């Protein structure tokens, strides 16, 4: 089981806040540092305001050395596929090959209105996502120097398909709870399938859909990594757990039921339940970015035992 740190900076974080968390994550031995890709807070004022995901990751690429870096997830509505492929490949070069791309159809219409981003209806967003995945992965894999693509929403003509990432293939993460198109896209394009904030039973169901989609597509279901995102609230004792829950405006009992909350022993037991459902990675959603001791506790008391 790999444990990764996952942040939500649109809720209120500067680049320096993210840098401190990323560097502590690296020192504490976590597998990766990920961030969401949003431009608007979901409750609260979001001060000092949003930071761009790929600009942030470019900075972190130069100020970390071993930890993997990525998005969970970039909205395909935010960027055109060619420029996104260029940005991700560039950050991969800057990091020495440590980047992963989570890409989704987008869902938060308020942030689109707030920043002047077109927000098509659901069917069209998934159509666009599929074409973006074809173009981005095609550009990275192309060896002809004249990549072309003709789609309904995007067309590419004789692209030099540069720059190339350092990695032979930048891992692509697709996730969500969709019943049909999401599993099909994961089977076709993903290196990893992620489900956010669901129970063990729901995890088992969603993973099963992707495995079935892989079999339909004649792909080995075992060639994907299966992962969860879960909110973290760890403490050495009940007082510390309650303090951390209060800091993020949540109730301890609710977090124990729906996230990874409790003492290290409790959390290890909960991780084991997800492992039994097929989970191979867990993204620990850390909401209080000022509490670096939280990361250290997990690094010292949980990481060595997973």
């Amino acid at each position: 089981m790999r444990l990764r740190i996952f942040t939500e900076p649109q809720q209120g974080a500067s680049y320096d806040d993210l840098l401190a968390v990323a560097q502590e994550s690296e020192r504490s031995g976590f597998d990766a540092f990920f961030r969401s890709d949003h431009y608007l807070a979901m409750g609260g004022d979001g001060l000092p305001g949003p930071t761009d995901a790929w600009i942030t990751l470019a900075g972190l690429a130069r100020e970390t050395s071993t930890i993997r870096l990525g998005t969970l997830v970039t909205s395909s509505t935010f960027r055109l596929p060619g420029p996104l492929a260029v940005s991700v490949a560039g950050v991969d070069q800057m990091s020495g090959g440590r980047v992963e791309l989570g890409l989704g159809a987008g869902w938060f219409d308020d942030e689109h209105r707030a920043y002047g981003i077109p927000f098509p209806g659901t069917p069209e967003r998934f159509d666009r996502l599929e074409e973006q995945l074809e173009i981005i992965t095609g550009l990275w894999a192309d060896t002809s120097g004249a990549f072309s693509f003709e789609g309904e929403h995007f067309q590419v003509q004789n692209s030099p398909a540069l720059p190339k990432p350092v990695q032979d293939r930048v891992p692509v993460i697709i996730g969500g709870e969709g019943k049909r198109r999401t599993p099909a896209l994961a089977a076709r394009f993903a290196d990893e399938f992620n489900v956010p904030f669901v129970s063990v039973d729901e995890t088992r169901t969603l993973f099963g859909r992707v495995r079935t989609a892989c079999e339909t597509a004649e792909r080995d279901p075992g060639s994907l990594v299966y992962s969860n995102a879960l909110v973290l609230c760890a403490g050495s004792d009940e007082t510390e757990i309650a303090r951390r829950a209060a800091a993020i405006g949540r109730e301890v009992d609710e977090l124990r039921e729906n996230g990874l909350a409790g003492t290290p022993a409790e959390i290890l037991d909960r991780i084991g339940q997800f492992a039994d459902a097929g989970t191979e990675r867990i993204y620990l959603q850390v909401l209080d970015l000022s509490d670096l001791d939280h990361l250290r506790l997990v690094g010292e008391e949980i990481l060595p035992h997973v």
Side-chain angles (χ1 to χ4, degrees), residues 102-122:
L103 190 63
W107 62 271
F108 190 22
D109 53 348
D110 285 353
E111 70 185 337
H112 291 74
R113 287 194 293 269
Y115 286 92
I117 304 168
F119 188 67
T122 299

Side-chain angles (χ1 to χ4, degrees), residues 142-163:
D142 181 76
T143 57
S144 72
F147 176 81
S148 296
F149 174 85
E150 188 70 26
E152 180 181 352
H153 302 286
F154 303 105
Q155 297 79 42
V156 179
Q157 295 181 356
N158 297 319
S159 172
L162 295 172

Side-chain angles (χ1 to χ4, degrees), residues 16-75:
D16 286 339
D17 295 328
L18 295 171
L19 173 61
V21 173
Q23 290 181 330
E24 185 56 48
S25 299
E26 185 169 80
R27 284 192 295 269
S28 294
F30 290 96
D31 182 57
F33 171 89
F34 271 60
R35 59 156 294 162
S36 61
D37 192 356
H38 285 294
Y39 292 123
L40 193 67
M42 300 160 198
D45 55 26
L47 293 174
T51 50
D52 181 85
W54 287 101
I55 289 175
T56 297
L57 293 173
L60 296 179
R62 306 304 291 178
E63 299 194 73
T64 58
S65 58
T66 60
I67 199 165
R68 297 191 66 81
L69 303 166
T71 52
L72 201 66
V73 295
T74 287
S75 174

